[in-house]
Amino acid sequence: MDQELYSKERSASLDLLLRFQRLLVSKLYPADCVGQVSNTYSPDLLGVGSLLKKYTALLCTHIGDILPVATSIACTSHRHFAEVSYVVDGDLTGILLPELVVSIVLLLSKNAGLMQEAGAIPLLAGLLEHLDRFNHLAPGKERDDNEDLAWPGIMGSFFTGQSCRNNEEVTLIRKADLENHNKDGGFWTVIDGKVYDIKDFQTQSLTGSSIL
């Protein structure tokens, strides 16, 4: 397919939808509504909440139609998954949905009663199964899941346990070994006297090598 057909530049209609979505969120995030009881909301605020629910329903309907098709094509091979992911990333699924989910979580933390009154959250929950099926096709999924559950230095000891560690052979790494390894393109780092290989994490991080 033509590269320009799936350009990273957003279309005018998609940009308009994103602006409309942000406008809805901003109208539901007034500073003086925190702590209100559900029966004290103004009609205008309830109207915006109802509009958010309708907007979310239409968006979820579109994404619910797109993702099963995307999953059926992406499961063919890793190359197909990469191509489909690129298309989905430029679609409503990749542009509107992530920001909408974050915004609703923020609104829920500030005013749970209003968000429950609006009723948009159950609509998003219906997408979880579709998203999960698509994400399970990603190459390296098992590795990413393990990293999420046991990131080195934070949760590793919780899952491995002290008894398992006692049976492992401890490898001592000299400072010169670490420096030579990193000069050759590796990425070892020391945290509390222990050496961690964060090379794979480096490729996924958005912060850059210097901050890491």
Side-chain angles (χ1 to χ4, degrees):
M1 295 182 173
D2 293 335
Q3 187 75 12
E4 56 192 38
L5 185 61
Y6 297 107
S7 171
K8 280 296 183 182
E9 294 294 327
R10 289 197 300 263
S11 66
S13 57
L14 192 55
D15 190 62
L16 184 64
L17 280 173
L18 184 60
R19 290 169 180 266
F20 175 70
Q21 176 176 297
R22 291 173 176 173
L23 181 63
L24 285 178
V25 172
S26 67
K27 292 295 183 181
L28 289 170
Y29 193 79
D32 58 347
C33 78
V34 178
Q36 278 186 321
V37 187
S38 59
N39 58 5
T40 63
Y41 299 127
S42 67
D44 290 343
L45 205 56
L46 292 175
V48 177
S50 177
L51 195 57
L52 177 66
K53 180 180 179 180
K54 188 168 185 177
Y55 168 81
T56 305
L58 292 172
L59 182 63
C60 289
T61 299
H62 170 79
I63 296 175
D65 292 338
I66 291 292
L67 281 179
V69 179
T71 302
S72 65
I73 299 174
C75 68
T76 308
S77 68
H78 290 335
R79 182 177 177 277
H80 284 79
F81 178 83
E83 293 290 340
V84 170
S85 297
Y86 182 76
V87 175
V88 170
D89 190 44
D91 183 63
L92 305 181
T93 310
I95 295 176
L96 299 180
L97 182 62
E99 187 172 312
L100 179 64
V101 170
V102 173
S103 299
I104 286 184
V105 170
L106 177 65
L107 292 171
L108 187 63
S109 68
K110 293 295 183 181
N111 199 336
L114 177 60
M115 292 310 298
Q116 290 178 358
E117 188 80 20
I121 298 176
L123 299 173
L124 288 171
L127 294 178
L128 290 177
E129 187 175 347
H130 295 304
L131 290 167
D132 196 49
R133 286 176 182 167
F134 184 79
N135 289 333
H136 269 69
L137 299 175
K141 171 190 69 71
E142 295 82 3
R143 183 198 65 198
D144 290 341
D145 285 347
N146 290 335
E147 287 179 355
D148 289 341
L149 291 174
W151 199 79
I154 298 179
M155 297 297 288
S157 59
F158 177 80
F159 288 98
T160 56
Q162 190 65 35
S163 59
C164 297
R165 187 176 298 174
N166 292 336
N167 297 329
E168 294 176 357
E169 181 181 352
V170 178
T171 302
L172 297 178
I173 299 176
R174 299 174 302 167
K175 183 178 180 182
D177 296 332
L178 183 140
E179 292 174 349
N180 290 332
H181 178 81
N182 289 348
K183 285 179 182 177
D184 293 337
F187 206 139
W188 286 356
T189 188
V190 180
I191 303 175
D192 294 334
K194 297 171 185 174
V195 178
Y196 297 99
D197 186 353
I198 59 173
K199 180 68 176 177
D200 290 339
F201 179 73
Q202 176 194 15
T203 60
Q204 303 176 24
S205 173
L206 302 176
T207 60
S209 301
S210 59
I211 295 180
L212 286 178

